[in-house]
Amino acid sequence: MSFEPVYNEHSRALILGTWPSPKSREMAFYYGHPQNRFWPVLAALTGEPVPAREDIEAKKQIILRHGLALWDTLERCTITGAADASIKDAVPNDIAALLAKAPIEAVFCNGATAYRIYTKYLQPVSGIAAVKLPSTSPANAACRPEKLREIWGAALLPWINK
């Protein structure tokens, strides 16, 4: 099963990953791999300090203080390790339930697989076109941290509450 979504009544922009990696499942929270650049990128965009890897509450607060929401596209699937390409038996998350609780106006997908799953299963329900962002995964090493901050910033900064 996927993690619960992180959102509140101020969450206008939803960031979607694909499915928790083994390291994230071990940490019991999103983007738990020490080399994943998600939290450093988000910290840079929000002006927050980079949270400690094990500080789940600080990570939640970065999301919630800045009008964001965080979730994955899949409720469950069969996957080998952390390889998105190996995903089978995909069951999408219930985005309608989230949209009924949070005023989401924009969707951003962390990587091509999240985007592909969102556009296939979730966009027909949400009616919100997503923005595909380069993955923050360490497997996407070709995208340097500065480039990630630049691309993610161009897309997300208009939605981040300062």
Side-chain angles (χ1 to χ4, degrees):
M1 299 294 273
S2 67
F3 302 136
E4 290 297 313
V6 177
Y7 69 94
N8 65 18
E9 68 277 7
H10 305 293
S11 299
R12 294 175 38 239
L14 172 62
I15 302 169
L16 287 171
T18 305
W19 174 255
S21 71
K23 287 285 186 191
S24 295
R25 291 192 302 273
E26 180 183 298
M27 295 283 304
F29 199 66
Y30 300 92
Y31 305 106
H33 193 288
Q35 272 78 52
N36 193 300
R37 285 92 43 96
F38 182 84
W39 295 111
V41 166
L42 220 56
L45 298 181
T46 59
E48 300 267 358
V50 177
R53 182 170 176 255
E54 58 284 339
D55 194 346
I56 292 170
E57 191 54 37
K59 292 174 178 180
K60 286 181 182 178
Q61 289 308 311
I62 289 175
I63 298 295
L64 298 176
R65 269 199 296 271
H66 297 283
L68 303 172
L70 180 61
W71 207 15
D72 283 320
T73 55
L74 296 177
E75 178 185 325
R76 61 183 179 274
C77 67
T78 303
I79 186 170
T80 303
D84 282 355
S86 73
I87 290 175
K88 293 186 286 233
D89 310 315
V91 176
N93 265 319
D94 183 2
I95 197 162
L98 177 62
L99 295 176
K101 299 174 196 166
I104 303 296
E105 300 172 35
V107 175
F108 301 90
C109 294
N110 188 351
T113 303
Y115 180 78
R116 188 171 60 253
I117 292 167
Y118 176 82
T119 56
K120 181 176 181 177
Y121 297 108
L122 304 177
Q123 186 174 334
V125 175
S126 73
I128 303 170
V131 175
K132 178 174 61 173
L133 296 172
S135 175
T136 59
S137 166
N140 185 22
C143 193
R144 306 288 306 146
E146 315 76 61
K147 191 70 172 165
L148 279 175
R149 284 191 298 275
E150 177 187 325
I151 296 168
W152 277 67
L156 273 175
L157 279 174
W159 294 95
I160 291 175
N161 297 340
K162 289 288 184 175

